Amino acid sequence: MLPDTAWAATPPSLPPALSSCLTEPGSLTERLMNCGHAFAVRVLAQGDDRVHDDEVELLGLPAGAALYARHVALTLDDTPVVVARSVTRLACPAWHPILQRGSRSLGFTLFGGHAGIVREPLAYREIDASHPLFALAQAHDPASANLYPARRSRFLLVNTPLIVCELFLPALERFLP
């Protein structure tokens, strides 16, 4: 398998306020809640799914393998500003109870001081129509952008991986100071 070179350690060039959100080292949930607008998490889908090609290596799964996924939209004043995909292995006893949280933000747990959770460095890319997450973003973006800035990180709990990938929608810029 070829290494995934589409994700990079440096973010794409963006306006300063958007770049600051994309590179937020802490909780994106907390950052969005501090924007002064009503924050909510809308669960779009949750359950069995298939691994994306760029997740294979990080999860240690074969191409096309089944996995457990949670797709959400983060909203400000009922406007979707970020869509996210969180994935782990099927029947994962470490992450499944954490992902089964309804409309509560995953960020509260990932950045809430849980001693066993380790976050690896952020990676960045611009998601285009060739990536499976492009359709998820476009479904919540009336402006229909051609590229969506994205970040992802792998979290480990009991040496078991969880990947969180967040795509930033153009509407987010309207809410940033």
Side-chain angles (χ1 to χ4, degrees), residues 55-80:
E55 298 167 337
V56 165
E57 187 176 342
L58 292 175
L59 290 171
L61 292 172
L67 54 62
Y68 188 82
R70 180 176 187 248
H71 296 106
V72 300
L74 307 181
T75 66
L76 293 174
D77 293 345
D78 295 320
T79 302

